[in-house]
Amino acid sequence: MTCPMLSISDLHATIGGKEILKGLDLQVPAGEVHAIMGPNGAGKSTLSYVLTGRDGYEVTKGQVKLDGEDLLALSPDQRAAKGVFLSFQYPLEIPGVPALTFVRTALNAQRRSRGEAEASAPEFLKLARGAATALKMDFDMLKRALNVGFSGGEKKRMEILQMAMLKPRFAILDETDSGLDIDALKIVADGVNALRGPDRSMLVITHYQRLLDYIRPNRVHVLSGGRIVDSGGPELALELERAGYDKYASAA
Amino acid sequence: MTLAAAIRTGDAGLLPSRRDEDWRWTDLRGLLRVLPDASAAFAGDAGAGPFSALGGEDLVLVNGGRAEIAVEAGEARQVCLRFVSRGAGRHASVVRVTLGEGARLRLLESYESDGASLAQVDLDIVQAGQARVERVVIADDDADAVTVSQTQVRLSPGSRFSQSVLTSGARRQRLETRILHPGGQAELRLDGIYLLDGKRHADLTTVVTHQGVDGATGQLTKGVVRDQSRAVFQGRITVAEGADRTAARMAHHGLILSDRAEIDAKPELEIYADDVACAHGNTVGALDQDALFYALQRGIPADEALALLTEAFIGEVVDRIEFEPARDIARAWVTARLGGRP
């Protein structure tokens, strides 16, 4: 048996001295999509920020390995270059930086970090046009300042567009369904599904089961009180939708 | 002008000091106990300035001097005006600019020093009706230089004056612009950019006096301070009694990238007329950490992310430069100043 792409063991993490993750274990094999569900305050977003190395999230114990390599020893940009991508729950607005400039800067920085050649202008534009078309986005939107004045749905689409262009090895989707109407949700889910493949894994963090009707996970995990308290197949998500998280809250 | 008198006589006692309210944050007397010797005349080649590639006339004052630019009615000219300091002496320059009816001038101005000089510039601009000036200034001084530039502009009804001052500061530096605004559909744009590091200091002071009805002023200054640098922004707009229907807007936004850097800002609106539309906004703060993390998460290294975000912040001011070739030079200058530095 091969080792999983992402392996988290006994992970403890604090914010401002308060422990949020309390011994989290999780393994995601290559090519699989796993969902993390859980009540508010369970530590879902904390997990996404710990994996991506955000300042202020301190790991006090445990380890995280991506392809066998210690992820926690790397800076956020180095983790990105290794293929870690976070689709933000609340994507940031970056005034004054056109989306195309931002993505091109990111893509080329990642390529440099991996010792690869930078994308030429025509190559990059072709990539951007292709991604925009697939996500039904107006290409002119990419010439505007990143996310400035975009609707919630447009921002989420822009996240998936960046993911499509950066081709991460391991993607974390944090509440990607929040703020989306059903049409936008389908477009975003189609975009995500198009990126599924044997060399890419995903962690889909969501509060509701709805997203998982469109992005079918291989496994579903329940995060409560800073730990994975239950795991199962896709049917677990339906069960949670019916019964809620109450039984885990009392167990935690 | 007390600094001009100090340079003429060599008497440090005549320098403006912190006791002068207007010079409180740019104290020269406390800085210079003794004045440097008067600069010798410079016979060598001053090389090229930041705008030299754009053509037009060259007017180069090395270690002080006097000059006049007279643009006749209906004429359009482009002048590279360079104030160059070579060595560590003291000197003063005086330049008189006049524009006839409907004349146009692109004034591409630079401050270039290479040592601990003390320089003062007195620039006087008088515009007749319908005359238009765009002044773009790059102040690229030495870290040991002390430079004070004092500009007075007299507008006429229907004229327009647009200014963008970019500076990287000096040991102590003040770039001051005073404008007499007659109203009468005259338009004024007064922009500034400061990008400071090390122990550099820059003071952007502007004083606008609206004297008549129907005048417009738009002012946008942005800057970044790092290390132990210090920026001063003093902006005063006075609307005299009876100068009704004046529209004036002033904004200053500063970014502090180090605990030991400082920005002092004093925006002032003094309004004595009844019917005006005036607004001012002033913010000083740190870089948005959420935006920074977003860029890092996409794989952009910290120094590059910082440069990208600060350049975008400053870019809004650069974009307002009307003459495109000068705008390109200004943008490249900003990029070089901010690029790739942690």
Side-chain angles (χ1 to χ4, degrees):
Chain A
M1 180 169 158
T2 56
C3 75
M5 181 187 286
L6 182 83
S7 171
I8 303 175
S9 50
D10 195 28
L11 184 64
H12 292 251
T14 61
I15 310 169
K18 185 171 191 285
E19 188 168 59
I20 307 291
L21 300 183
K22 302 169 181 174
L24 187 144
D25 292 285
L26 180 68
Q27 311 216 317
V28 183
E32 292 196 0
V33 172
H34 286 205
I36 299 254
M37 300 185 71
N40 290 325
K44 300 195 296 292
S45 285
T46 297
L47 176 61
S48 70
Y49 288 141
V50 167
L51 293 179
T52 50
R54 185 168 192 152
D55 248 7
Y57 291 77
E58 199 192 341
V59 174
T60 50
K61 197 179 169 194
Q63 58 178 6
V64 178
K65 289 191 168 174
L66 180 73
D67 296 316
E69 193 178 351
D70 179 10
L71 199 60
L72 300 177
L74 304 176
S75 63
D77 55 302
Q78 289 170 330
R79 296 183 200 195
K82 294 282 181 194
V84 177
F85 179 91
L86 171 62
S87 171
F88 283 65
Q89 183 177 1
Y90 303 107
L92 272 292
E93 297 186 1
I94 314 280
V97 183
L100 279 175
T101 305
F102 184 81
V103 181
R104 187 169 183 198
T105 305
L107 181 69
N108 284 335
Q110 290 198 17
R111 289 196 177 184
R112 272 200 310 277
S113 171
R114 294 193 292 261
E116 300 165 10
E118 295 189 6
S120 69
E123 183 195 343
F124 175 79
L125 283 175
K126 196 177 159 201
L127 199 62
R129 283 186 196 280
T133 305
L135 287 158
K136 298 185 170 62
M137 289 171 73
D138 182 0
F139 185 74
D140 282 345
M141 235 170 115
L142 302 187
K143 297 174 183 168
R144 285 163 50 190
L146 181 63
N147 290 334
V148 176
F150 289 15
S151 70
E154 288 168 337
K155 287 180 183 174
K156 292 297 172 78
R157 252 186 260 189
M158 188 59 84
E159 293 292 283
I160 303 308
L161 178 129
Q162 292 181 53
M163 177 169 148
M165 294 186 67
L166 295 172
K167 299 186 171 58
R169 188 151 163 75
F170 186 82
I172 305 159
L173 279 62
D174 190 359
E175 306 275 3
T176 290
D177 52 333
S178 68
L180 293 186
D181 62 32
I182 196 70
D183 293 328
L185 180 62
K186 280 180 186 162
I187 292 166
V188 164
D190 286 348
V192 171
N193 287 327
L195 293 169
R196 293 176 78 152
D199 293 329
R200 184 171 292 129
S201 304
M202 298 186 198
L203 199 58
V204 178
I205 296 174
T206 182
H207 189 72
Y208 301 104
Q209 190 268 338
R210 183 180 74 152
L211 178 67
L212 304 180
D213 287 341
Y214 299 94
I215 303 173
R216 303 285 297 169
N218 300 91
R219 301 275 295 165
V220 174
H221 309 276
V222 181
L223 176 60
S224 181
R227 275 191 212 96
I228 301 295
V229 294
D230 201 0
S231 297
E235 70 285 352
L236 179 56
L238 294 166
E239 203 179 305
L240 287 167
E241 187 78 358
R242 214 170 33 244
Y245 296 109
D246 283 356
K247 70 170 177 177
Y248 301 112
S250 54
Chain B
M1 251 157 273
T2 54
L3 176 57
I7 287 176
R8 199 169 53 244
T9 59
D11 180 358
L14 297 175
L15 291 170
S17 78
R18 73 181 68 180
R19 265 178 266 157
D20 304 297
E21 175 60 23
D22 201 28
W23 290 83
R24 169 155 82 101
W25 289 319
T26 305
D27 177 21
L28 295 183
R29 195 158 165 195
L31 183 76
L32 301 169
R33 296 290 164 199
V34 180
L35 293 189
D37 292 337
S39 292
F42 179 79
D45 180 3
F51 296 111
S52 293
L54 298 188
E57 304 156 53
D58 258 332
L59 183 56
V60 188
L61 297 180
V62 185
N63 291 350
R66 301 184 76 91
E68 275 186 27
I69 302 170
V71 189
E72 303 296 330
E75 201 185 5
R77 284 166 65 182
Q78 178 172 318
V79 178
C80 284
L81 175 60
R82 298 172 56 202
F83 296 102
V84 180
S85 296
R86 289 286 173 260
R90 67 173 203 266
H91 47 264
S93 306
V94 178
V95 176
R96 301 277 172 251
V97 180
T98 53
L99 288 100
E101 194 82 21
R104 287 165 183 249
L105 174 66
R106 275 191 198 122
L107 189 61
L108 307 173
E109 189 177 323
S110 57
Y111 294 80
E112 308 162 41
S113 52
D114 64 358
S117 52
L118 170 63
Q120 190 256 347
V121 167
D122 175 4
L123 174 62
D124 192 70
I125 300 174
V126 179
Q127 293 179 227
Q130 312 302 321
R132 294 186 164 199
V133 173
E134 180 169 30
R135 179 184 184 218
V136 182
V137 180
I138 290 183
D140 207 347
D141 265 321
D142 191 85
D144 291 325
V146 176
T147 300
V148 173
S149 163
Q150 295 172 300
T151 301
Q152 306 86 44
V153 181
R154 242 177 303 155
L155 297 176
S156 293
S159 63
R160 186 163 95 189
F161 181 83
S162 305
Q163 163 172 301
S164 304
V165 174
L166 291 80
T167 182
S168 54
R171 183 175 173 218
R172 205 146 294 181
Q173 182 197 67
R174 172 153 164 152
L175 305 171
E176 176 185 308
T177 313
R178 290 171 187 269
I179 312 245
L180 290 181
H181 196 314
Q185 315 297 336
E187 289 176 28
L188 172 63
R189 176 174 64 77
L190 274 185
D191 293 349
I193 291 172
Y194 53 84
L195 309 171
L196 310 184
D197 60 14
K199 294 185 170 182
R200 284 169 178 260
H201 170 112
D203 170 343
L204 294 178
T205 290
T206 58
V207 179
V208 180
T209 309
H210 279 271
Q211 299 168 307
V213 298
D214 296 316
T217 294
Q219 186 169 15
L220 177 63
T221 298
K222 284 189 170 189
V224 178
V225 292
R226 299 188 279 211
D227 306 327
Q228 299 173 58
S229 59
R230 182 186 196 197
V232 175
F233 171 77
Q234 302 190 108
R236 186 190 307 146
I237 297 178
T238 303
V239 182
E241 199 177 332
D244 287 328
R245 299 189 301 276
T246 292
R249 183 172 289 275
M250 179 200 297
H252 165 251
H253 303 291
L255 204 51
I256 299 189
L257 297 185
S258 144
D259 291 346
R260 301 176 70 190
E262 182 177 329
I263 297 175
D264 299 295
K266 191 163 81 169
E268 292 176 281
L269 290 178
E270 287 177 25
I271 300 170
Y272 301 103
D274 296 326
D275 176 17
V276 297
C278 293
H280 72 94
N282 182 62
T283 60
V284 174
L287 194 71
D288 178 355
Q289 293 300 307
D290 292 339
L292 187 61
F293 176 67
Y294 189 75
L296 293 175
Q297 204 300 305
R298 293 297 183 255
I300 304 174
D303 53 356
E304 208 180 332
L306 192 65
L308 181 77
L309 296 175
T310 49
E311 209 177 314
F313 172 73
I314 297 297
E316 185 190 359
V317 189
V318 176
D319 289 344
R320 286 159 59 109
I321 298 174
E322 290 139 41
F323 181 44
E324 194 180 343
R327 185 165 72 228
D328 292 342
I329 285 173
R331 186 174 291 119
W333 187 82
V334 168
T335 302
R337 277 272 148 197
L338 296 175
R341 254 205 50 151

